[in-house]
Structures are given as structure tokens and as C-alpha cells.
Amino acid sequence: MLPIEGFTCFPGQMWDKVLSKVKKAVVFMDDKCAESLHWNGGATSVFEAGARNLKEFSSFEAGGENEPKAVFVVSTLLKGRTADIIKDIIGLSHFQYCVVFTTVAHSIQLLANNVTAELEGSPVFEQFEEKLSEWMGDMNYTAEVIHAPVVFAPVSPQLLLAPTFAHLFPLLPQDLKTINIKRTEKKMFVSLTDVDMQSLTPELQIEIKTLASAVNSMFESTSTREESFAVGPMSRLIAGELANHPQAKSRRKTATNKASIVFIDRTLDLTGAAGHHGDSLVEKILTVLQPLPGHTTDVQVDMLELTNLQHIPDSQPTLAPGCLAQTQSSTARLLWETMLASKQKEAVMEVRRQLVEAASKENLPIKMSLGRVTPEQLCSYVQLFKSSWGALESHCGVLQLGLATAQTLRHPTLPRWDACLAFERLLLQALGDSDFAGVLRQLLPLMNSGSRSGEDECGPDELLVLLVYLYSLAGEAQPADDEEVEKVERELIGALTLVITRETELSPLLQKLTRCGSPEELTMERAHTAVEGVFETLKELSHARDHLKQFTSVYTASDGVHQATYRPFLRQVLEEIFHPDRPECPDIEHMSGGLTDLLKTGFSMFMKVSRPHPSDHGLLFLFLVGGVTPSELRLIREVVSAHKPGTQVLVLSTRLLRPTDIPELLFTTQRLVPDIGV
């Protein structure tokens, strides 16, 4: 069995392919590839490989007069907008040598150009090479186009993210309505489980095929034969695509290592994704600190406390922010892994311990103190380093994580987290005691409290998250009178519309939701329309698990002794996978077989044939389509060590979730038409 390290090294190996070409070049990179690079050595690795400059992939960028070589790294098809930007950059530059890396395989580029036949060579890449030479102004200049699946970001040894697919999200019933519009009465799909690849939009087909192709590349580089399983409609499509990938069939015949991969739809448990867990430091850091521009995972850490600069309110900072991705220092990397995998108290203690250790190594005058860790204490330790440039440089990774922790713990909006957590617990109890209309009514006082007077009062973003949390559990409440529910919903729509129009500043989520950049643009009518759309989507959330036979609920009602609790979907799936009796679960569908599986099914009528089971191999991949929370990473680790400690589990996902990501993915994302750069 191959150790997990082989897979966590794969992203770096793909980047090595790119880095081998960047010597003396100006490198242009789109945001999604830049985010992957950020967790794979960062810009430092590009400059160490000999690049002259690293620039944004934009029509407003160009190379200098004495810069004859360019390398482009893009996560999109080589046509449309992407081709236009490359042409613009070349037109403003003096390049004689261009290399273009794309994360989209040639077979998918062919498909995007409506070519379904198997062709010799790489005609799409060859044609694009000719275009590059043409744009450079001389057909004798050198042009290369190469496929490199630089899509994975090794966020920790247990977790690989795919930032390229951060907005890929399982479809909802309203998407089914859109798909059915183009179908005849007789051919309409009744449920999302009936939808096949051919009925999806061309953009979504490209996105799913590119993801399956990237996973296949990873298995190819590690000589792994996988058994694919799926839980949920979108997971079925991706797992099916991987199972039928043309190169995967030949790989499986010769692969020496074996693994299971289980794809799981995020929409089957939005309660856990929207919930505010009290025990994860990283979830709080991701929520309260500003995201790094262009990134979905990392945040900006204010480095002011490591300088002698003065903080000037409302001024633009001139200081580059710190971040969570610490790829250069092994000590900082280990600290980050502890923060990600531990409970908040343990994580904060470890941050303090590392700061004390670093200060002691540098003989800095540290005052030891035991007991509760405070943000002030962490800051006082960090500030010791600003007097010594050498010490600061040696420990800057640990210092950034220390500052991220301190800034989160003293952040003025952090009390809102606790307010949301308390309210979620209240709602959980109320679900078992009253009907859904009664539970919904409990939200009205929150919305009618007028403009926010205290930082701990929920704003519109938090209210949207609470609504998702509640509607994802709607099926658990006592049966309700539909008219009564509609009446409360109308009141909630009115109240939430008012809350949004009273905001003096629109959050990024509200800007996307209302399509207004500022409160001045936002009319009552636009806010009302947006909120009505939100409630249309909310009503569908409680039906996400309707097609399942076993994992139908994520709720345990109160029994008079114990309080009502949330039962994570992921825990249920894992406990089923690791069950000592290896029962066959109707909701975990095996996807790899094709014809051989059908034959096995036929034979099994006459003889005992055991079907593949996710626990067959010592290596298990869990791919959460639509995001994973830090709390779930810890949960996975706990369940595995309790039930099958020998198993190695690697989590793959499209993004690391904060609660407010969920309303964005549900209410503002074009799920059927992802941006593929065309």
C-alpha cells in the first residue's frame, strides 16, 4: 500500500513541471492557479526557479522591452476570454518565446471545440502554438502549449483542496427546473438523481470532466487503482466520469497500488456547513479575518504589530499582509496542522507554546505566564521579535500564525459567532417541540431588533446563515400547516428586506446577492426581490436527502434526558464504511465497475460474489464536493482512530468552508454555468 505522502507530494510535482520552464521568464498566472501555488511553495519557488517577474493574468499587464520570454499559467480553456487576454499581453510586450500551461487536458479542449473523435497528436495545442507565434509577430519564434494539472493545494497532510473548483457545488431542485425547460414533456427528469452528464450545460460538463481528469492524473502519477463510490447526485456524475475516463481504464490494468475514493455531496448536510461550531479556532480565523484578495481559503494577517508604524484609522495599509499558508518553515507548518486538527483550547495553547519556544531560542526577554491564553499575551510575545531582524526572519511563519490567532480572539465581531452558536442550539431544541412555523417565528425578534447596536448582534450575513441552518433541518420539525408557514415566511421576507436596506455598508455576500455595489444603489424593490429568491431556494433545502434510504436525517430529537443534537452526515457515512460487519449500504453507490460489475451482479444470482466495499483497502479518499469544514476534518480523524485506526484517510475538497460561504454558494453562484474562462 502506498503511503499518503505520495499523494500530498503530487501537487508539488505538477508545479515542478511549470517551474522547469520559468527561468528568465515573466510569469503571468490567473487567480485560481496562484492560489494553488500559494500552498505549494508560493511566489518564492517561482523566483528561486529563475523567473524575472510574476504578474497577474490580465490585459493590463505586459513584459518589459528586455524581457523576451513569457510563461502563462491558466486554469481555463484556451479560447474566448483566456485567448484574448494572452493576445493582449503579447501585443503589449516584446516576447520571442512563449510557454502556456493549462490545467485543462487536451481531450477536454477538443470536446470544448465540438470534436468528439479521437485525433492523433494534440491539434488544439498545436493550433494555439501557431497563434502565439503569430501574435509575437514572427512564425520562427518559439511557442509551447503544455497541460499541467496544477489544481491541488496541500493545505495539510490530511487535506488537499482544489481551488480551481471552489465554486463547483451540487445542484439543487431549482437547477433541475432549468435543465427540464429544454426537455420535452416525456423526457423530463423527476429528480436530480436521474440527471446524466449529457443533459448538463456544456460549461458544467467541462468543469466535471476537468475535475475527474485531475483526480485521474493523481492516481496515474502514484500508480493507483481506485474503486469509486458516490453519495449524492453530483458525486455520481463525477465518480462516473472518473470511472469511464479513457486513460483510467488502461491505468487500472497495470496499477500496483489500491485505494477507495468516496465522493459526497455537500448539499446532503448543510446543517454542519452553516453551523457555528464552538470548538474550531481555524473556522473562526477564516470567518473574522479578511480573505486574501483572489483567494477562497487564506486570509490577511495584519503585520503592523511587528513594525514601528502607527495605525491610522481609515487609511489604506502599505504593509503586505501575513497569511496562514506557511510553506517555508516546517515548525510553522506543524503549528498550522495542529491549529487545523485540534480543539480551540489545545490550538491556542500550542500557539502560545511555539511563541515562547521561539522567543527562548532567540534569548528574548519573555515573561512566562500560565493559565488562560489571552490575545494581549500573544501580542506581547510577538512584539518581542520586532527588536531583532534576524529573530523576526527566522520565526516569521510562527509569528504570522500567532498574530492570526490573537487578531481573531480579540476581533470585535467574534461575539457574533457565540450568539449564532447559542441561537442554533435553541433552534435545535425547538424543532422537536413545535411545528416549523413555530420554529421560524423565533427568528422574527432577531430580525426586528432594528439597526445593530452591539457587535454581538446578528447582521444580514449571519441571519442568512441561520436561515440555511434552520431550513436544512425543516423536515425534522412537527408537521406544520402550510398556510401558517407561508404567513411567517412573508413576515420574515419583509423583515429581512428591511434589515438589508438599513445596512450602511454592503458585505461581499450582500453585494453578490442584491447585485448592488453600495447601499446608495440598493432600492427596497431590489432587496425584496433578492430576499424572495433566497426563500425560494431555502424551501428546497430540506428535501436534499429525500432520495436516500438510510442517511435520511442529521438530527437526534431530545428524549427527555438528553438534549436534541445535530448528527453529522459525514460521521454516519464513515461509521457505515468502517462497520465491522461490512453491511451493503444502499446510499453508498459503487461506480467503478462498468461491464464487469454488471456481470458480477448476474453471476451473484448463482454464486456468492462480494461487491467492492469502501473499506476494502487501507487507503481511503473522501472527496467532499462543495467544501469541507475544519470541524469535519477533526471529526474524520476521530472516527477513523476509533473505528479503524490502521486506515489512512486523505480528504479532498473544493474549498475549506466558513459558514458565510454557504449562502454565497446557494444564492449567488451560477451552479449550472461555471466560469470556464470562455
Side-chain angles (χ1 to χ4, degrees), residues 46-81:
V46 177
F47 291 116
E48 283 174 354
R52 286 191 180 177
N53 209 338
L54 179 58
K55 297 188 172 191
E56 191 182 348
F57 182 65
S58 156
S59 295
F60 301 103
E61 294 288 358
E65 267 185 53
N66 57 346
E67 293 174 326
K69 182 181 174 186
V71 172
F72 298 90
V73 191
V74 296
S75 59
T76 45
L77 293 166
L78 300 179
K79 57 188 287 191
R81 193 175 75 234

CSV table of all heavy atoms in Angstrom, one decimal, residues 46-81:
chain,number,residue,atom,x,y,z
A,46,VAL,N,8.8,30.3,-7.5
A,46,VAL,CA,8.9,30.8,-8.9
A,46,VAL,C,10.2,31.6,-9.1
A,46,VAL,O,10.9,31.4,-10.1
A,46,VAL,CB,7.7,31.6,-9.2
A,46,VAL,CG1,7.8,32.2,-10.6
A,46,VAL,CG2,6.4,30.8,-9.1
A,47,PHE,N,10.5,32.4,-8.1
A,47,PHE,CA,11.7,33.3,-8.2
A,47,PHE,C,13.0,32.4,-8.0
A,47,PHE,O,14.0,32.6,-8.7
A,47,PHE,CB,11.7,34.4,-7.2
A,47,PHE,CG,10.6,35.5,-7.6
A,47,PHE,CD1,9.6,35.7,-6.8
A,47,PHE,CD2,10.7,36.2,-8.8
A,47,PHE,CE1,8.6,36.6,-7.2
A,47,PHE,CE2,9.8,37.1,-9.2
A,47,PHE,CZ,8.7,37.3,-8.4
A,48,GLU,N,12.9,31.4,-7.1
A,48,GLU,CA,14.1,30.5,-6.9
A,48,GLU,C,14.3,29.7,-8.2
A,48,GLU,O,15.5,29.3,-8.4
A,48,GLU,CB,13.8,29.6,-5.7
A,48,GLU,CG,14.0,30.3,-4.4
A,48,GLU,CD,13.7,29.5,-3.2
A,48,GLU,OE1,13.2,28.3,-3.4
A,48,GLU,OE2,13.9,29.9,-2.1
A,49,ALA,N,13.3,29.5,-9.0
A,49,ALA,CA,13.5,28.7,-10.2
A,49,ALA,C,14.0,29.6,-11.4
A,49,ALA,O,14.2,29.1,-12.5
A,49,ALA,CB,12.1,28.1,-10.7
A,50,GLY,N,14.2,30.9,-11.1
A,50,GLY,CA,14.8,31.8,-12.0
A,50,GLY,C,13.9,32.8,-12.8
A,50,GLY,O,14.3,33.4,-13.7
A,51,ALA,N,12.6,32.9,-12.4
A,51,ALA,CA,11.7,33.8,-13.0
A,51,ALA,C,12.2,35.2,-12.8
A,51,ALA,O,12.7,35.6,-11.7
A,51,ALA,CB,10.3,33.6,-12.6
A,52,ARG,N,11.9,36.1,-13.8
A,52,ARG,CA,12.3,37.5,-13.6
A,52,ARG,C,11.2,38.3,-12.9
A,52,ARG,O,11.4,39.2,-12.2
A,52,ARG,CB,12.5,38.2,-15.0
A,52,ARG,CG,13.8,37.8,-15.6
A,52,ARG,CD,14.0,38.7,-16.8
A,52,ARG,NE,15.3,38.3,-17.5
A,52,ARG,CZ,15.7,38.9,-18.6
A,52,ARG,NH1,15.0,39.9,-19.1
A,52,ARG,NH2,16.9,38.5,-19.1
A,53,ASN,N,9.9,37.9,-13.1
A,53,ASN,CA,8.8,38.6,-12.5
A,53,ASN,C,7.6,37.7,-12.5
A,53,ASN,O,7.5,36.7,-13.3
A,53,ASN,CB,8.5,39.9,-13.3
A,53,ASN,CG,7.9,41.0,-12.5
A,53,ASN,OD1,7.3,40.7,-11.4
A,53,ASN,ND2,8.0,42.2,-12.9
A,54,LEU,N,6.6,38.0,-11.6
A,54,LEU,CA,5.4,37.2,-11.5
A,54,LEU,C,4.3,38.2,-11.5
A,54,LEU,O,4.2,39.1,-10.7
A,54,LEU,CB,5.4,36.4,-10.2
A,54,LEU,CG,4.2,35.6,-9.9
A,54,LEU,CD1,3.9,34.5,-11.0
A,54,LEU,CD2,4.4,34.8,-8.5
A,55,LYS,N,3.3,38.1,-12.5
A,55,LYS,CA,2.3,39.1,-12.7
A,55,LYS,C,0.9,38.5,-12.8
A,55,LYS,O,0.8,37.3,-13.1
A,55,LYS,CB,2.6,39.9,-13.9
A,55,LYS,CG,3.9,40.8,-13.9
A,55,LYS,CD,4.0,41.7,-15.1
A,55,LYS,CE,5.2,42.6,-14.9
A,55,LYS,NZ,5.1,43.7,-15.9
A,56,GLU,N,-0.1,39.3,-12.5
A,56,GLU,CA,-1.5,38.9,-12.7
A,56,GLU,C,-1.8,38.6,-14.1
A,56,GLU,O,-1.3,39.2,-15.0
A,56,GLU,CB,-2.4,40.0,-12.2
A,56,GLU,CG,-3.8,39.6,-12.0
A,56,GLU,CD,-4.7,40.8,-11.5
A,56,GLU,OE1,-4.1,41.9,-11.1
A,56,GLU,OE2,-5.9,40.7,-11.6
A,57,PHE,N,-2.7,37.6,-14.4
A,57,PHE,CA,-3.1,37.3,-15.7
A,57,PHE,C,-4.2,38.3,-16.1
A,57,PHE,O,-5.4,38.1,-15.8
A,57,PHE,CB,-3.6,35.9,-15.8
A,57,PHE,CG,-4.0,35.4,-17.1
A,57,PHE,CD1,-3.1,35.3,-18.2
A,57,PHE,CD2,-5.4,35.1,-17.4
A,57,PHE,CE1,-3.5,34.9,-19.4
A,57,PHE,CE2,-5.8,34.7,-18.6
A,57,PHE,CZ,-4.9,34.6,-19.7
A,58,SER,N,-3.8,39.4,-16.7
A,58,SER,CA,-4.7,40.5,-17.0
A,58,SER,C,-4.2,41.2,-18.3
A,58,SER,O,-3.1,41.4,-18.6
A,58,SER,CB,-4.7,41.5,-15.8
A,58,SER,OG,-5.1,42.8,-16.2
A,59,SER,N,-5.2,41.7,-19.0
A,59,SER,CA,-5.0,42.5,-20.2
A,59,SER,C,-4.2,43.8,-20.0
A,59,SER,O,-3.7,44.4,-20.9
A,59,SER,CB,-6.3,42.9,-21.0
A,59,SER,OG,-6.9,41.7,-21.4
A,60,PHE,N,-4.1,44.2,-18.7
A,60,PHE,CA,-3.4,45.4,-18.3
A,60,PHE,C,-2.0,45.2,-17.9
A,60,PHE,O,-1.3,46.1,-17.5
A,60,PHE,CB,-4.2,46.2,-17.2
A,60,PHE,CG,-5.6,46.5,-17.6
A,60,PHE,CD1,-6.7,45.7,-17.1
A,60,PHE,CD2,-5.9,47.5,-18.5
A,60,PHE,CE1,-8.0,46.0,-17.5
A,60,PHE,CE2,-7.2,47.8,-18.8
A,60,PHE,CZ,-8.3,47.0,-18.3
A,61,GLU,N,-1.5,43.9,-18.0
A,61,GLU,CA,-0.1,43.6,-17.7
A,61,GLU,C,0.7,43.4,-19.0
A,61,GLU,O,0.1,43.0,-20.0
A,61,GLU,CB,-0.1,42.4,-16.8
A,61,GLU,CG,-0.7,42.6,-15.4
A,61,GLU,CD,0.1,43.4,-14.5
A,61,GLU,OE1,1.2,43.9,-14.9
A,61,GLU,OE2,-0.3,43.7,-13.4
A,62,ALA,N,2.0,43.5,-18.9
A,62,ALA,CA,2.8,43.2,-20.0
A,62,ALA,C,4.3,43.0,-19.6
A,62,ALA,O,4.6,43.2,-18.4
A,62,ALA,CB,2.8,44.4,-21.0
A,63,GLY,N,5.1,42.5,-20.5
A,63,GLY,CA,6.5,42.3,-20.2
A,63,GLY,C,7.3,43.6,-20.6
A,63,GLY,O,6.8,44.4,-21.4
A,64,GLY,N,8.5,43.7,-20.1
A,64,GLY,CA,9.3,44.9,-20.4
A,64,GLY,C,10.1,44.7,-21.8
A,64,GLY,O,10.0,43.6,-22.4
A,65,GLU,N,10.8,45.7,-22.2
A,65,GLU,CA,11.5,45.7,-23.5
A,65,GLU,C,12.6,44.6,-23.5
A,65,GLU,O,12.8,44.0,-24.5
A,65,GLU,CB,12.1,47.0,-23.8
A,65,GLU,CG,11.1,47.9,-24.7
A,65,GLU,CD,11.8,49.2,-25.1
A,65,GLU,OE1,12.9,49.1,-25.7
A,65,GLU,OE2,11.2,50.2,-24.9
A,66,ASN,N,13.2,44.4,-22.4
A,66,ASN,CA,14.3,43.5,-22.3
A,66,ASN,C,13.9,42.2,-21.7
A,66,ASN,O,14.7,41.5,-21.0
A,66,ASN,CB,15.5,44.1,-21.5
A,66,ASN,CG,15.0,44.5,-20.1
A,66,ASN,OD1,13.8,44.5,-19.8
A,66,ASN,ND2,16.0,44.7,-19.2
A,67,GLU,N,12.6,41.8,-21.8
A,67,GLU,CA,12.1,40.5,-21.3
A,67,GLU,C,11.5,39.7,-22.5
A,67,GLU,O,10.3,39.9,-22.8
A,67,GLU,CB,11.0,40.8,-20.2
A,67,GLU,CG,11.7,41.5,-19.0
A,67,GLU,CD,10.6,41.9,-17.9
A,67,GLU,OE1,9.5,42.3,-18.3
A,67,GLU,OE2,11.0,41.8,-16.7
A,68,PRO,N,12.3,38.9,-23.1
A,68,PRO,CA,11.8,38.2,-24.3
A,68,PRO,C,11.0,36.9,-24.1
A,68,PRO,O,10.5,36.3,-25.0
A,68,PRO,CB,13.2,37.8,-25.0
A,68,PRO,CG,14.2,37.7,-23.9
A,68,PRO,CD,13.7,38.6,-22.8
A,69,LYS,N,11.0,36.4,-22.8
A,69,LYS,CA,10.3,35.1,-22.5
A,69,LYS,C,9.1,35.3,-21.6
A,69,LYS,O,9.2,36.0,-20.6
A,69,LYS,CB,11.3,34.2,-22.0
A,69,LYS,CG,10.7,32.8,-21.7
A,69,LYS,CD,11.8,31.8,-21.1
A,69,LYS,CE,11.2,30.5,-20.7
A,69,LYS,NZ,12.1,29.6,-20.0
A,70,ALA,N,8.0,34.6,-21.9
A,70,ALA,CA,6.8,34.7,-21.0
A,70,ALA,C,6.3,33.2,-20.8
A,70,ALA,O,6.4,32.4,-21.7
A,70,ALA,CB,5.7,35.5,-21.7
A,71,VAL,N,5.8,33.0,-19.6
A,71,VAL,CA,5.2,31.8,-19.2
A,71,VAL,C,3.8,32.1,-18.7
A,71,VAL,O,3.6,33.0,-17.8
A,71,VAL,CB,5.9,31.0,-18.1
A,71,VAL,CG1,5.1,29.8,-17.7
A,71,VAL,CG2,7.3,30.5,-18.7
A,72,PHE,N,2.7,31.5,-19.3
A,72,PHE,CA,1.4,31.8,-18.8
A,72,PHE,C,0.9,30.5,-18.1
A,72,PHE,O,1.0,29.4,-18.6
A,72,PHE,CB,0.4,32.1,-20.0
A,72,PHE,CG,0.8,33.3,-20.8
A,72,PHE,CD1,1.7,33.2,-21.8
A,72,PHE,CD2,0.3,34.5,-20.4
A,72,PHE,CE1,2.0,34.4,-22.6
A,72,PHE,CE2,0.6,35.7,-21.1
A,72,PHE,CZ,1.5,35.6,-22.2
A,73,VAL,N,0.2,30.7,-16.9
A,73,VAL,CA,-0.3,29.5,-16.2
A,73,VAL,C,-1.8,29.8,-16.0
A,73,VAL,O,-2.2,30.7,-15.2
A,73,VAL,CB,0.4,29.3,-14.9
A,73,VAL,CG1,0.0,27.9,-14.3
A,73,VAL,CG2,1.9,29.3,-15.0
A,74,VAL,N,-2.7,29.0,-16.7
A,74,VAL,CA,-4.1,29.3,-16.6
A,74,VAL,C,-4.9,28.0,-16.2
A,74,VAL,O,-4.5,26.9,-16.5
A,74,VAL,CB,-4.7,29.9,-17.9
A,74,VAL,CG1,-4.0,31.3,-18.2
A,74,VAL,CG2,-4.4,29.0,-19.1
A,75,SER,N,-6.1,28.3,-15.6
A,75,SER,CA,-6.9,27.1,-15.2
A,75,SER,C,-8.1,27.0,-16.1
A,75,SER,O,-9.2,26.4,-15.7
A,75,SER,CB,-7.4,27.4,-13.8
A,75,SER,OG,-8.2,28.7,-13.8
A,76,THR,N,-8.0,27.4,-17.4
A,76,THR,CA,-9.2,27.5,-18.3
A,76,THR,C,-8.9,27.0,-19.6
A,76,THR,O,-7.8,26.6,-20.0
A,76,THR,CB,-9.6,29.0,-18.4
A,76,THR,OG1,-8.4,29.8,-18.7
A,76,THR,CG2,-10.3,29.6,-17.2
A,77,LEU,N,-9.9,26.9,-20.5
A,77,LEU,CA,-9.8,26.5,-21.9
A,77,LEU,C,-9.0,27.6,-22.6
A,77,LEU,O,-9.1,28.8,-22.3
A,77,LEU,CB,-11.2,26.4,-22.5
A,77,LEU,CG,-12.1,25.3,-22.0
A,77,LEU,CD1,-13.5,25.5,-22.5
A,77,LEU,CD2,-11.6,23.9,-22.5
A,78,LEU,N,-8.3,27.2,-23.7
A,78,LEU,CA,-7.5,28.1,-24.5
A,78,LEU,C,-8.4,28.7,-25.6
A,78,LEU,O,-8.1,28.5,-26.8
A,78,LEU,CB,-6.3,27.4,-25.0
A,78,LEU,CG,-5.3,26.8,-24.0
A,78,LEU,CD1,-4.2,26.1,-24.6
A,78,LEU,CD2,-4.9,27.9,-23.0
A,79,LYS,N,-9.4,29.4,-25.2
A,79,LYS,CA,-10.3,30.1,-26.2
A,79,LYS,C,-11.0,31.2,-25.5
A,79,LYS,O,-10.9,31.4,-24.3
A,79,LYS,CB,-11.2,29.1,-26.8
A,79,LYS,CG,-12.1,28.3,-25.8
A,79,LYS,CD,-12.9,27.2,-26.5
A,79,LYS,CE,-14.1,27.7,-27.3
A,79,LYS,NZ,-15.0,26.7,-27.7
A,80,GLY,N,-11.8,32.0,-26.3
A,80,GLY,CA,-12.6,33.0,-25.7
A,80,GLY,C,-11.8,34.0,-24.9
A,80,GLY,O,-10.7,34.5,-25.4
A,81,ARG,N,-12.2,34.3,-23.7
A,81,ARG,CA,-11.6,35.4,-22.9
A,81,ARG,C,-10.1,35.1,-22.6
A,81,ARG,O,-9.3,36.0,-22.6
A,81,ARG,CB,-12.4,35.5,-21.6
A,81,ARG,CG,-12.1,36.8,-20.8
A,81,ARG,CD,-13.0,36.9,-19.6
A,81,ARG,NE,-12.6,36.0,-18.5
A,81,ARG,CZ,-13.5,35.1,-17.9
A,81,ARG,NH1,-14.7,35.1,-18.3
A,81,ARG,NH2,-13.1,34.4,-17.0
